[in-house]
Amino acid sequence: MAGSKFRPDRGLTARMVTTMGLLALVYMAFIAGLVLVGLNVWLVLLIVVGFALFSYFASDRIAMFSMGAKEVSPRQAPELHALIDRLCAMADMPKPRVGIADTDVPNAFATGHNEKSAVICVTTGLMRRLDSSELESVLAHELSHIAHRDVMVMTIAGFLGIVAGFLTQAGLRFAVFAGASRGNNNGPAPAVVALLVVVVSAVAWVLSFLLTRALSRYRELSADRAAAYLTGRPSTLGSALTKITGDMARIPTRDLRQVEPFNAFFFAPAFSRKGFSFSQLVATHPPMQQRLEQLSDISRQLGQGR
């Protein structure tokens, strides 16, 4: 975050480096495991490298398309752009592209593999519910993700899970097909190889899932801190968080399920009420109470400093 006036977070930097190092080990073990169970090394590299490049360079477009978001100009959304212009000037950072998603789910997210491709997106539901100061605090939270470069790290980290998930599903389908269609002379080798691919992919997916979830929880606390110190108004960020979380219960389950895949990138998680586990091991965000307590502590610190 060279040049940015967002508060540096050495804890976040250390966690990002550690997560990327551990994921690199999982990544290499994943490739080696697929080769050992019988897949052609060039096929494995083609799949893995292809997914990596696609996920890395197209992450912003994928997120915008999946959310039904559209990039907006200052003429189309003058108030939103004005808030982001002000925050970028305060933080001394380049302005990202700005998008709006037409959904009643109140949320915001930032994505992109670098500052040039970065985009910050808010939903129409969020803009309807928050006042100007609350919206500014949420935007500061999202901008800090870009400044800290944890958006880029999450994009890279999430790619392994995408590949592993794809190969798990493909392996299961192939195993069923091979098991049903093989004759007496063909033997079980194709189905066995497919099942081994599933096992290797599933293990890689679980490990990458847990690593990215742990990083995701910390980066949300870090972004809350950075936004609170930049704006000097921790209470407005807490107010926005309370409003969003409270209103989420009134959003139709179908709408929540549609956006759940983006929870790791959202300001606040959007969970459908059916089938959600509150286990801290798999949560993308820290508990709201922990976030509010941190903001309350910062508010006291800022009050004492005046």
Side-chain angles (χ1 to χ4, degrees):
M1 51 184 291
S4 168
K5 292 183 181 177
F6 278 108
R7 277 201 169 197
D9 191 323
R10 294 185 179 85
L12 177 62
T13 301
R15 283 167 172 80
M16 288 193 295
V17 171
T18 301
T19 298
M20 293 304 292
L22 292 173
L23 281 173
L25 294 176
V26 173
Y27 190 7
M28 290 186 287
F30 176 52
I31 294 174
L34 291 177
V35 173
L36 287 174
V37 301
L39 290 189
N40 182 279
V41 62
W42 295 112
L43 175 62
V44 172
L45 289 176
L46 178 64
I47 293 173
V48 172
V49 173
F51 265 104
L53 293 175
F54 179 74
S55 299
Y56 183 75
F57 289 106
S59 59
D60 55 320
R61 291 186 290 274
I62 293 171
M64 293 284 281
F65 175 79
S66 300
M67 283 293 298
K70 294 182 179 180
E71 189 173 345
V72 293
S73 67
R75 185 175 180 179
Q76 293 170 306
E79 294 181 5
L80 179 61
H81 272 272
L83 289 174
I84 294 175
D85 284 336
R86 179 173 180 271
L87 288 169
C88 287
M90 291 170 60
D92 192 21
M93 64 179 288
K95 181 182 178 181
R97 291 176 294 139
V98 180
I100 295 178
D102 186 13
T103 172
D104 194 44
V105 177
N107 235 313
F109 67 91
T111 185
H113 60 274
N114 58 31
E115 285 189 342
K116 291 183 179 179
S117 70
V119 57
I120 184 169
C121 180
V122 299
T123 67
T124 52
L126 183 76
M127 292 190 292
R128 280 197 299 270
R129 288 171 171 84
L130 302 186
D131 62 31
S132 179
S133 61
E134 291 168 338
L135 181 58
E136 183 179 58
S137 292
V138 173
L139 292 171
H141 171 105
E142 296 303 329
L143 286 171
S144 77
H145 284 313
I146 298 172
H148 284 130
R149 296 189 175 91
D150 58 270
V151 165
M152 177 188 68
V153 172
M154 287 295 291
T155 298
I156 297 172
F159 126 81
L160 177 60
I162 294 173
V163 176
F166 168 78
L167 289 177
T168 299
Q169 293 182 34
L172 283 171
R173 287 173 182 151
F174 182 79
V176 172
F177 174 79
S181 63
R182 67 180 177 86
N184 293 331
N185 297 326
N186 292 334
V192 171
V193 170
L195 287 173
L196 289 173
V197 169
V198 170
V199 172
V200 172
S201 301
V203 171
W205 182 85
V206 169
L207 291 174
S208 64
F209 177 88
L210 294 176
L211 287 171
T212 54
R213 285 298 191 272
L215 176 59
S216 179
R217 291 191 295 274
Y218 186 88
R219 84 185 191 111
E220 292 303 324
L221 290 172
S222 176
D224 283 350
R225 287 193 296 270
Y229 282 118
L230 181 73
T231 63
R233 297 193 303 270
S235 61
T236 60
L237 185 61
S239 175
L241 181 61
T242 302
K243 277 187 182 180
I244 292 170
T245 306
D247 284 351
M248 207 73 76
R250 290 186 280 272
I251 303 297
T253 300
R254 177 180 57 82
D255 293 343
L256 293 176
R257 284 177 177 166
Q258 288 177 348
V259 300
E260 273 183 10
F262 294 93
N263 273 340
F265 292 92
F266 278 152
F267 170 67
F271 292 114
S272 62
R273 289 169 287 283
K274 183 178 179 181
F276 167 62
S277 170
F278 286 93
S279 170
Q280 287 304 295
L281 187 63
V282 299
T284 57
H285 291 63
M288 186 180 72
Q289 188 60 34
Q290 183 180 1
R291 297 176 72 175
L292 293 177
E293 287 175 356
Q294 175 181 253
L295 291 171
S296 179
D297 290 341
I298 294 173
S299 183
R300 285 193 291 271
Q301 292 172 18
L302 292 175
Q304 290 171 359
R306 291 193 178 97

